Amino acid sequence: MSDKSEWTEATWNPLRGCSKVSDGCRNCYAETVANRYSGPGMPYEGTITDGRWNGIIRLVPDALIKPVRWRRPRRIFVNSMSDLFHPEVPQAYIDKVFAVIALAPQHTFQILTKRPERMLHYLQGLEKRGAHQLLADAAEAVTGDEDAGIFVANRISAGASSKPGWPLKNVWLGVSVENQKAADVRMPLLLETPAAVRWLSCEPLLGEVDLFKAGGLQGGAVGETEFDAHGLVDWVVVGGESGHKARPMIPDWARSLRDQCQAAGVPFLFKQWGEWRQTHDLCAGQPGYIGKQWFTWDPDTSMCRVGRAAAGRELDGRIWDEYPD
Ligand code: SF4
């Protein structure tokens, strides 16, 4: 999925391994990392064939309990090295992941998937199967402690109708949206999924995305008049690609998403440019730009490959670091 960075404070990897599903996966960062540690006896052994994810998932049950032991509250990205809703992840194991989330209300868990159809079916199914009992049993199985199960059952079934215990408040469910096609397919599935907070990760952003058209934002302009624009998603994160084969992001794609979020009052976080930064052809002969790779869309939009750190994360002269309430 992605490495730890500004928008999250910790990563938690109870799974290892994946397989590619869409254009956003092409230069998968996790695959590159796993490749380095896939030799005999290494953590990613068996998940990589000929340098590529092979679809084999390794469960890491010893890692399940970790967030419960972290006392200081933090935003935790779940599975930077896999996809929780990959078809090879057993349902009972996903139950355990959600049980740990219920056991650690001090944290906020950020889940991101490119398989929102399974996420939807899982969450709807969990409700039908009886979330409080299933997750209570899973919590007991993870901890070996009956009290943990009681805590989870109480947490889910407690709460007034104005403040229900389900869906869990401390988990944000998100989908990756790299282009319009992904938005059109994944957004409706996300919106159907029972969740307290829904979010989008537009990274790596590979094309223009209209969130109004895809249904994540509603309202907008009628003629000259703005009316009632609002978000059905609660948070949008945008970023360019990083890594050896990173593709450049046209600045106007990022600007457009920022403007759409602002129009609808949805928090917007600009994570990074990635490896490429917008600059002008005239800079090509200046120190710092000499010998670097260039990419030009039109006379006004030239990107230079300056590296992730140098490209930074300012958009139009400021940092965009907004979060859901
Ligand atoms: S879903 Fe995420 S982890 Fe899996 S291949 Fe795609 S980018 Fe990589």
Side-chain angles (χ1 to χ4, degrees), residues 74-96:
R74 53 191 99 176
R75 279 190 302 274
I76 299 172
F77 183 47
V78 182
N79 285 318
S80 63
M81 299 298 293
S82 185
D83 186 333
L84 182 60
F85 296 103
H86 189 283
E88 293 302 316
V89 182
Q91 181 170 282
Y93 199 77
I94 306 178
D95 289 347
K96 288 183 177 174

PDB file of all heavy atoms in Angstrom, residues 74-96:
ATOM      1  N   ARG A  74      -2.577   6.718  18.969  1.00  0.00           N
ATOM      2  CA  ARG A  74      -1.962   7.105  17.688  1.00  0.00           C
ATOM      3  C   ARG A  74      -2.842   6.667  16.521  1.00  0.00           C
ATOM      4  O   ARG A  74      -3.715   5.808  16.679  1.00  0.00           O
ATOM      5  CB  ARG A  74      -0.555   6.515  17.559  1.00  0.00           C
ATOM      6  CG  ARG A  74      -0.475   5.044  17.774  1.00  0.00           C
ATOM      7  CD  ARG A  74       0.968   4.568  17.897  1.00  0.00           C
ATOM      8  NE  ARG A  74       1.365   4.388  19.278  1.00  0.00           N
ATOM      9  CZ  ARG A  74       2.538   3.913  19.696  1.00  0.00           C
ATOM     10  NH1 ARG A  74       3.475   3.616  18.842  1.00  0.00           N
ATOM     11  NH2 ARG A  74       2.817   3.750  20.959  1.00  0.00           N
ATOM     12  N   ARG A  75      -2.591   7.300  15.377  1.00  0.00           N
ATOM     13  CA  ARG A  75      -3.245   6.869  14.140  1.00  0.00           C
ATOM     14  C   ARG A  75      -2.414   5.727  13.563  1.00  0.00           C
ATOM     15  O   ARG A  75      -1.212   5.895  13.343  1.00  0.00           O
ATOM     16  CB  ARG A  75      -3.277   8.012  13.111  1.00  0.00           C
ATOM     17  CG  ARG A  75      -4.370   9.020  13.296  1.00  0.00           C
ATOM     18  CD  ARG A  75      -4.470   9.952  12.093  1.00  0.00           C
ATOM     19  NE  ARG A  75      -3.215  10.656  11.844  1.00  0.00           N
ATOM     20  CZ  ARG A  75      -2.859  11.792  12.433  1.00  0.00           C
ATOM     21  NH1 ARG A  75      -3.679  12.380  13.289  1.00  0.00           N
ATOM     22  NH2 ARG A  75      -1.705  12.361  12.172  1.00  0.00           N
ATOM     23  N   ILE A  76      -3.062   4.600  13.340  1.00  0.00           N
ATOM     24  CA  ILE A  76      -2.331   3.400  12.916  1.00  0.00           C
ATOM     25  C   ILE A  76      -2.806   2.961  11.531  1.00  0.00           C
ATOM     26  O   ILE A  76      -4.003   2.711  11.330  1.00  0.00           O
ATOM     27  CB  ILE A  76      -2.553   2.246  13.922  1.00  0.00           C
ATOM     28  CG1 ILE A  76      -2.031   2.644  15.311  1.00  0.00           C
ATOM     29  CG2 ILE A  76      -1.878   0.978  13.446  1.00  0.00           C
ATOM     30  CD1 ILE A  76      -2.386   1.646  16.410  1.00  0.00           C
ATOM     31  N   PHE A  77      -1.866   2.871  10.613  1.00  0.00           N
ATOM     32  CA  PHE A  77      -2.195   2.372   9.275  1.00  0.00           C
ATOM     33  C   PHE A  77      -2.138   0.841   9.310  1.00  0.00           C
ATOM     34  O   PHE A  77      -1.116   0.254   9.672  1.00  0.00           O
ATOM     35  CB  PHE A  77      -1.211   2.938   8.250  1.00  0.00           C
ATOM     36  CG  PHE A  77      -1.528   2.534   6.837  1.00  0.00           C
ATOM     37  CD1 PHE A  77      -2.812   2.622   6.340  1.00  0.00           C
ATOM     38  CD2 PHE A  77      -0.528   2.068   5.995  1.00  0.00           C
ATOM     39  CE1 PHE A  77      -3.117   2.241   5.042  1.00  0.00           C
ATOM     40  CE2 PHE A  77      -0.810   1.697   4.692  1.00  0.00           C
ATOM     41  CZ  PHE A  77      -2.112   1.784   4.222  1.00  0.00           C
ATOM     42  N   VAL A  78      -3.238   0.206   8.930  1.00  0.00           N
ATOM     43  CA  VAL A  78      -3.344  -1.252   9.018  1.00  0.00           C
ATOM     44  C   VAL A  78      -2.888  -1.860   7.689  1.00  0.00           C
ATOM     45  O   VAL A  78      -3.458  -1.564   6.632  1.00  0.00           O
ATOM     46  CB  VAL A  78      -4.813  -1.656   9.301  1.00  0.00           C
ATOM     47  CG1 VAL A  78      -4.924  -3.175   9.447  1.00  0.00           C
ATOM     48  CG2 VAL A  78      -5.329  -0.958  10.558  1.00  0.00           C
ATOM     49  N   ASN A  79      -1.845  -2.678   7.759  1.00  0.00           N
ATOM     50  CA  ASN A  79      -1.369  -3.408   6.574  1.00  0.00           C
ATOM     51  C   ASN A  79      -0.742  -2.535   5.489  1.00  0.00           C
ATOM     52  O   ASN A  79      -1.324  -2.360   4.411  1.00  0.00           O
ATOM     53  CB  ASN A  79      -2.499  -4.231   5.940  1.00  0.00           C
ATOM     54  CG  ASN A  79      -2.812  -5.459   6.747  1.00  0.00           C
ATOM     55  OD1 ASN A  79      -1.902  -6.128   7.221  1.00  0.00           O
ATOM     56  ND2 ASN A  79      -4.066  -5.727   6.939  1.00  0.00           N
ATOM     57  N   SER A  80       0.424  -2.018   5.779  1.00  0.00           N
ATOM     58  CA  SER A  80       1.145  -1.310   4.723  1.00  0.00           C
ATOM     59  C   SER A  80       1.786  -2.310   3.755  1.00  0.00           C
ATOM     60  O   SER A  80       2.259  -1.926   2.693  1.00  0.00           O
ATOM     61  CB  SER A  80       2.229  -0.405   5.320  1.00  0.00           C
ATOM     62  OG  SER A  80       3.191  -1.178   5.995  1.00  0.00           O
ATOM     63  N   MET A  81       1.787  -3.618   4.125  1.00  0.00           N
ATOM     64  CA  MET A  81       2.470  -4.616   3.309  1.00  0.00           C
ATOM     65  C   MET A  81       1.513  -5.688   2.777  1.00  0.00           C
ATOM     66  O   MET A  81       1.936  -6.797   2.450  1.00  0.00           O
ATOM     67  CB  MET A  81       3.569  -5.299   4.147  1.00  0.00           C
ATOM     68  CG  MET A  81       4.644  -4.352   4.639  1.00  0.00           C
ATOM     69  SD  MET A  81       5.574  -3.546   3.313  1.00  0.00           S
ATOM     70  CE  MET A  81       6.453  -4.950   2.611  1.00  0.00           C
ATOM     71  N   SER A  82       0.236  -5.317   2.689  1.00  0.00           N
ATOM     72  CA  SER A  82      -0.757  -6.265   2.190  1.00  0.00           C
ATOM     73  C   SER A  82      -2.071  -5.524   1.984  1.00  0.00           C
ATOM     74  O   SER A  82      -2.123  -4.300   2.026  1.00  0.00           O
ATOM     75  CB  SER A  82      -0.933  -7.406   3.212  1.00  0.00           C
ATOM     76  OG  SER A  82      -1.798  -8.387   2.689  1.00  0.00           O
ATOM     77  N   ASP A  83      -3.138  -6.290   1.760  1.00  0.00           N
ATOM     78  CA  ASP A  83      -4.482  -5.712   1.661  1.00  0.00           C
ATOM     79  C   ASP A  83      -5.380  -6.603   2.511  1.00  0.00           C
ATOM     80  O   ASP A  83      -5.541  -7.800   2.218  1.00  0.00           O
ATOM     81  CB  ASP A  83      -4.931  -5.712   0.184  1.00  0.00           C
ATOM     82  CG  ASP A  83      -6.265  -4.999  -0.034  1.00  0.00           C
ATOM     83  OD1 ASP A  83      -7.089  -4.961   0.913  1.00  0.00           O
ATOM     84  OD2 ASP A  83      -6.483  -4.486  -1.144  1.00  0.00           O
ATOM     85  N   LEU A  84      -5.955  -6.049   3.564  1.00  0.00           N
ATOM     86  CA  LEU A  84      -6.750  -6.832   4.521  1.00  0.00           C
ATOM     87  C   LEU A  84      -7.864  -7.616   3.830  1.00  0.00           C
ATOM     88  O   LEU A  84      -8.266  -8.672   4.290  1.00  0.00           O
ATOM     89  CB  LEU A  84      -7.341  -5.895   5.587  1.00  0.00           C
ATOM     90  CG  LEU A  84      -8.154  -6.545   6.699  1.00  0.00           C
ATOM     91  CD1 LEU A  84      -7.325  -7.540   7.506  1.00  0.00           C
ATOM     92  CD2 LEU A  84      -8.751  -5.485   7.634  1.00  0.00           C
ATOM     93  N   PHE A  85      -8.364  -7.081   2.699  1.00  0.00           N
ATOM     94  CA  PHE A  85      -9.495  -7.728   2.038  1.00  0.00           C
ATOM     95  C   PHE A  85      -9.082  -8.518   0.793  1.00  0.00           C
ATOM     96  O   PHE A  85      -9.913  -8.817  -0.072  1.00  0.00           O
ATOM     97  CB  PHE A  85     -10.584  -6.685   1.739  1.00  0.00           C
ATOM     98  CG  PHE A  85     -11.127  -6.106   3.023  1.00  0.00           C
ATOM     99  CD1 PHE A  85     -10.733  -4.845   3.454  1.00  0.00           C
ATOM    100  CD2 PHE A  85     -11.980  -6.853   3.823  1.00  0.00           C
ATOM    101  CE1 PHE A  85     -11.206  -4.323   4.654  1.00  0.00           C
ATOM    102  CE2 PHE A  85     -12.451  -6.341   5.030  1.00  0.00           C
ATOM    103  CZ  PHE A  85     -12.073  -5.082   5.449  1.00  0.00           C
ATOM    104  N   HIS A  86      -7.809  -8.873   0.730  1.00  0.00           N
ATOM    105  CA  HIS A  86      -7.337  -9.788  -0.316  1.00  0.00           C
ATOM    106  C   HIS A  86      -8.122 -11.103  -0.193  1.00  0.00           C
ATOM    107  O   HIS A  86      -8.403 -11.561   0.919  1.00  0.00           O
ATOM    108  CB  HIS A  86      -5.841 -10.040  -0.123  1.00  0.00           C
ATOM    109  CG  HIS A  86      -5.204 -10.793  -1.247  1.00  0.00           C
ATOM    110  ND1 HIS A  86      -5.346 -12.160  -1.405  1.00  0.00           N
ATOM    111  CD2 HIS A  86      -4.426 -10.371  -2.272  1.00  0.00           C
ATOM    112  CE1 HIS A  86      -4.681 -12.539  -2.479  1.00  0.00           C
ATOM    113  NE2 HIS A  86      -4.115 -11.477  -3.035  1.00  0.00           N
ATOM    114  N   PRO A  87      -8.494 -11.723  -1.340  1.00  0.00           N
ATOM    115  CA  PRO A  87      -9.327 -12.937  -1.253  1.00  0.00           C
ATOM    116  C   PRO A  87      -8.698 -14.076  -0.463  1.00  0.00           C
ATOM    117  O   PRO A  87      -9.420 -14.961   0.012  1.00  0.00           O
ATOM    118  CB  PRO A  87      -9.547 -13.331  -2.719  1.00  0.00           C
ATOM    119  CG  PRO A  87      -8.625 -12.484  -3.533  1.00  0.00           C
ATOM    120  CD  PRO A  87      -8.273 -11.286  -2.724  1.00  0.00           C
ATOM    121  N   GLU A  88      -7.385 -14.087  -0.324  1.00  0.00           N
ATOM    122  CA  GLU A  88      -6.739 -15.199   0.383  1.00  0.00           C
ATOM    123  C   GLU A  88      -6.686 -15.007   1.899  1.00  0.00           C
ATOM    124  O   GLU A  88      -6.167 -15.865   2.616  1.00  0.00           O
ATOM    125  CB  GLU A  88      -5.304 -15.404  -0.156  1.00  0.00           C
ATOM    126  CG  GLU A  88      -5.240 -15.883  -1.597  1.00  0.00           C
ATOM    127  CD  GLU A  88      -5.983 -17.208  -1.800  1.00  0.00           C
ATOM    128  OE1 GLU A  88      -5.837 -18.112  -0.970  1.00  0.00           O
ATOM    129  OE2 GLU A  88      -6.733 -17.306  -2.792  1.00  0.00           O
ATOM    130  N   VAL A  89      -7.175 -13.877   2.389  1.00  0.00           N
ATOM    131  CA  VAL A  89      -7.148 -13.668   3.853  1.00  0.00           C
ATOM    132  C   VAL A  89      -8.398 -14.329   4.447  1.00  0.00           C
ATOM    133  O   VAL A  89      -9.522 -13.971   4.077  1.00  0.00           O
ATOM    134  CB  VAL A  89      -7.133 -12.171   4.212  1.00  0.00           C
ATOM    135  CG1 VAL A  89      -7.056 -11.995   5.732  1.00  0.00           C
ATOM    136  CG2 VAL A  89      -5.969 -11.458   3.523  1.00  0.00           C
ATOM    137  N   PRO A  90      -8.228 -15.309   5.353  1.00  0.00           N
ATOM    138  CA  PRO A  90      -9.410 -15.989   5.906  1.00  0.00           C
ATOM    139  C   PRO A  90     -10.310 -15.022   6.675  1.00  0.00           C
ATOM    140  O   PRO A  90      -9.821 -14.132   7.381  1.00  0.00           O
ATOM    141  CB  PRO A  90      -8.802 -17.028   6.870  1.00  0.00           C
ATOM    142  CG  PRO A  90      -7.366 -17.134   6.495  1.00  0.00           C
ATOM    143  CD  PRO A  90      -6.967 -15.834   5.885  1.00  0.00           C
ATOM    144  N   GLN A  91     -11.607 -15.230   6.530  1.00  0.00           N
ATOM    145  CA  GLN A  91     -12.562 -14.354   7.211  1.00  0.00           C
ATOM    146  C   GLN A  91     -12.341 -14.336   8.732  1.00  0.00           C
ATOM    147  O   GLN A  91     -12.432 -13.289   9.370  1.00  0.00           O
ATOM    148  CB  GLN A  91     -13.981 -14.839   6.894  1.00  0.00           C
ATOM    149  CG  GLN A  91     -15.055 -13.994   7.513  1.00  0.00           C
ATOM    150  CD  GLN A  91     -16.420 -14.375   6.966  1.00  0.00           C
ATOM    151  OE1 GLN A  91     -16.772 -13.987   5.857  1.00  0.00           O
ATOM    152  NE2 GLN A  91     -17.158 -15.151   7.721  1.00  0.00           N
ATOM    153  N   ALA A  92     -12.029 -15.501   9.292  1.00  0.00           N
ATOM    154  CA  ALA A  92     -11.834 -15.570  10.750  1.00  0.00           C
ATOM    155  C   ALA A  92     -10.647 -14.697  11.181  1.00  0.00           C
ATOM    156  O   ALA A  92     -10.618 -14.182  12.304  1.00  0.00           O
ATOM    157  CB  ALA A  92     -11.598 -17.017  11.175  1.00  0.00           C
ATOM    158  N   TYR A  93      -9.686 -14.534  10.272  1.00  0.00           N
ATOM    159  CA  TYR A  93      -8.529 -13.695  10.610  1.00  0.00           C
ATOM    160  C   TYR A  93      -8.907 -12.219  10.551  1.00  0.00           C
ATOM    161  O   TYR A  93      -8.445 -11.415  11.365  1.00  0.00           O
ATOM    162  CB  TYR A  93      -7.365 -14.010   9.649  1.00  0.00           C
ATOM    163  CG  TYR A  93      -6.027 -13.544  10.182  1.00  0.00           C
ATOM    164  CD1 TYR A  93      -5.368 -14.271  11.168  1.00  0.00           C
ATOM    165  CD2 TYR A  93      -5.431 -12.375   9.720  1.00  0.00           C
ATOM    166  CE1 TYR A  93      -4.139 -13.846  11.681  1.00  0.00           C
ATOM    167  CE2 TYR A  93      -4.214 -11.943  10.219  1.00  0.00           C
ATOM    168  CZ  TYR A  93      -3.572 -12.691  11.196  1.00  0.00           C
ATOM    169  OH  TYR A  93      -2.361 -12.254  11.704  1.00  0.00           O
ATOM    170  N   ILE A  94      -9.758 -11.859   9.600  1.00  0.00           N
ATOM    171  CA  ILE A  94     -10.232 -10.463   9.545  1.00  0.00           C
ATOM    172  C   ILE A  94     -11.022 -10.163  10.823  1.00  0.00           C
ATOM    173  O   ILE A  94     -10.922  -9.068  11.392  1.00  0.00           O
ATOM    174  CB  ILE A  94     -11.082 -10.200   8.286  1.00  0.00           C
ATOM    175  CG1 ILE A  94     -10.312 -10.606   7.024  1.00  0.00           C
ATOM    176  CG2 ILE A  94     -11.472  -8.728   8.203  1.00  0.00           C
ATOM    177  CD1 ILE A  94     -11.099 -10.429   5.730  1.00  0.00           C
ATOM    178  N   ASP A  95     -11.808 -11.146  11.293  1.00  0.00           N
ATOM    179  CA  ASP A  95     -12.521 -10.972  12.568  1.00  0.00           C
ATOM    180  C   ASP A  95     -11.526 -10.611  13.680  1.00  0.00           C
ATOM    181  O   ASP A  95     -11.799  -9.734  14.506  1.00  0.00           O
ATOM    182  CB  ASP A  95     -13.253 -12.261  12.981  1.00  0.00           C
ATOM    183  CG  ASP A  95     -14.461 -12.570  12.100  1.00  0.00           C
ATOM    184  OD1 ASP A  95     -14.891 -11.686  11.334  1.00  0.00           O
ATOM    185  OD2 ASP A  95     -14.971 -13.707  12.188  1.00  0.00           O
ATOM    186  N   LYS A  96     -10.388 -11.287  13.694  1.00  0.00           N
ATOM    187  CA  LYS A  96      -9.394 -11.023  14.753  1.00  0.00           C
ATOM    188  C   LYS A  96      -8.836  -9.606  14.646  1.00  0.00           C
ATOM    189  O   LYS A  96      -8.609  -8.935  15.649  1.00  0.00           O
ATOM    190  CB  LYS A  96      -8.264 -12.058  14.689  1.00  0.00           C
ATOM    191  CG  LYS A  96      -8.710 -13.430  15.158  1.00  0.00           C
ATOM    192  CD  LYS A  96      -7.570 -14.420  15.151  1.00  0.00           C
ATOM    193  CE  LYS A  96      -8.074 -15.764  15.701  1.00  0.00           C
ATOM    194  NZ  LYS A  96      -7.082 -16.827  15.593  1.00  0.00           N
TER     195      LYS A  96
END
